[in-house]
Amino acid sequence: MKIAEQIKRPIAFEMELFEQKFQLSMSSKVALLNTITHYIVNRKGKQMRPMFVFLVAKMLNNGEVSERTYRGASVIELIHTATLVHDDVVDDSNIRRGFFSINALWKNKIAVLIGDFLLSKGLLLSIDNGDFDLLKIISVAVREMSEGELLQIEKARQLDITEDIYYEIIRQKTATLIAACCSLGAASVKPNSPEVESMRKFGELIGMAFQIKDDLFDYGTKRIGKPTGIDIKEQKMTLPLIHVLNNCSAKDKAWIINSVKNHNKDKDRVNEVIQFVKDNNGLDYAVKRMYEYKNKALTMLDQFEDSPYKASLQLMVEYVIDRKK
């Protein structure tokens, strides 16, 4: 059995019902909107985020969920989908999950409006049902994601990222949404409880490990094969590169910065930088930090009784580290 199916097994019923509720939450009187949202729903990803919501809620509430849990899962998926649609416009990307992106098929203007529509649908779903605590969790996540993206853009221009700034960027850009999923799951069944904050922290730790794993993909692995160097081409400062920059000679540092700034489209030069990072323990260091985050996340689950939901969350943490793409 695939690991994703194993993770999903204790929440299979909830995920099926969620699919129906999620489709309803996107409905509109405008035919074009319905055509596009139907296209989005039929090309969904692994749905990790709603899975976090349901697993946390069931772990904390003796296997039970509430209508608020379904709304929380729908809100997070609406907001997440909106950010993906907007990201594809910003990145001028024509492919999403192996299919044409919204902007590739319907152009940028419509894609931006679809993203806005999904965002407003998510916010209204919370407001109409008085879920103001859930709305606050998701609104903080949206604000932090925007700040993280802008901080990364600002730092990419200067290439002066310290390790601490890097962690702040990935905390805001990636980890904050997974943190929101886990705290939404807790808040949906145990509002205003200490578990809301502890589950937020748990999600944040997983999100940090998740992003470091993404950074490592750029350098290739035995599983993936050739390195891609995409992050270097886009002047993104990732953890393996930052570690090496902070621990090499001034001459090597100048060569790396010059390579990333001025020769990032030169395939051979990018491969030289990748090899330099590998030879100087950049990958080993990033892997070590990734496992530290993973182990802290697993330790946070020790306080809860054993259950199929806790086991699935533990599997989810392992999956974040072991995934192939």
Side-chain angles (χ1 to χ4, degrees), residues 144-310:
E144 293 212 315
M145 284 157 65
S146 307
E147 286 179 348
E149 285 285 358
L150 287 163
L151 181 59
Q152 184 173 49
I153 290 166
E154 177 193 318
K155 293 298 173 184
R157 287 176 180 158
Q158 299 155 10
L159 297 186
D160 64 346
I161 293 188
T162 62
E163 210 170 303
D164 285 345
I165 289 173
Y166 164 81
Y167 292 130
E168 184 56 17
I169 288 171
I170 68 167
R171 186 192 68 75
Q172 291 187 315
K173 211 180 82 140
T174 304
T176 192
L177 195 63
I178 298 175
C181 298
C182 296
S183 58
L184 277 174
S188 73
V189 291
K190 291 200 165 183
N192 305 314
S193 66
E195 285 90 343
V196 176
E197 174 54 24
S198 68
M199 285 293 96
R200 186 201 67 75
K201 187 68 191 160
F202 167 75
E204 186 173 281
L205 291 164
I206 297 173
M208 300 293 278
F210 183 94
Q211 186 56 53
I212 296 172
K213 178 72 173 183
D214 261 11
D215 288 359
L216 289 164
F217 283 144
D218 203 48
Y219 291 86
T221 66
K222 285 171 190 161
R223 295 187 187 129
I224 302 166
K226 287 182 186 168
T228 62
I230 290 167
D231 287 336
I232 293 170
K233 285 169 196 155
E234 292 178 357
Q235 299 188 348
K236 281 183 187 164
M237 301 292 280
T238 58
L239 186 55
L241 188 63
I242 291 164
H243 176 70
V244 169
L245 270 175
N246 291 338
N247 290 279
C248 65
S249 68
K251 185 185 169 191
D252 286 334
K253 187 173 183 175
W255 173 78
I256 293 172
I257 288 174
N258 183 33
S259 301
V260 175
K261 259 190 175 172
N262 304 313
H263 303 280
N264 55 355
K265 302 288 187 282
D266 178 339
K267 219 174 191 177
D268 293 337
R269 187 76 171 253
V270 168
N271 285 336
E272 281 177 45
V273 173
I274 286 171
Q275 197 54 51
F276 187 86
V277 170
K278 286 179 176 175
D279 293 343
N280 287 273
N281 301 320
L283 301 196
D284 294 341
Y285 180 78
V287 167
K288 185 176 145 212
R289 293 311 305 257
M290 177 178 74
Y291 275 100
E292 282 172 15
Y293 282 114
K294 174 201 134 174
N295 292 333
K296 280 182 191 169
L298 286 175
T299 303
M300 288 198 76
L301 292 177
D302 290 345
Q303 61 188 296
F304 302 106
E305 283 180 26
D306 287 347
S307 67
Y309 322 110
K310 176 179 168 179

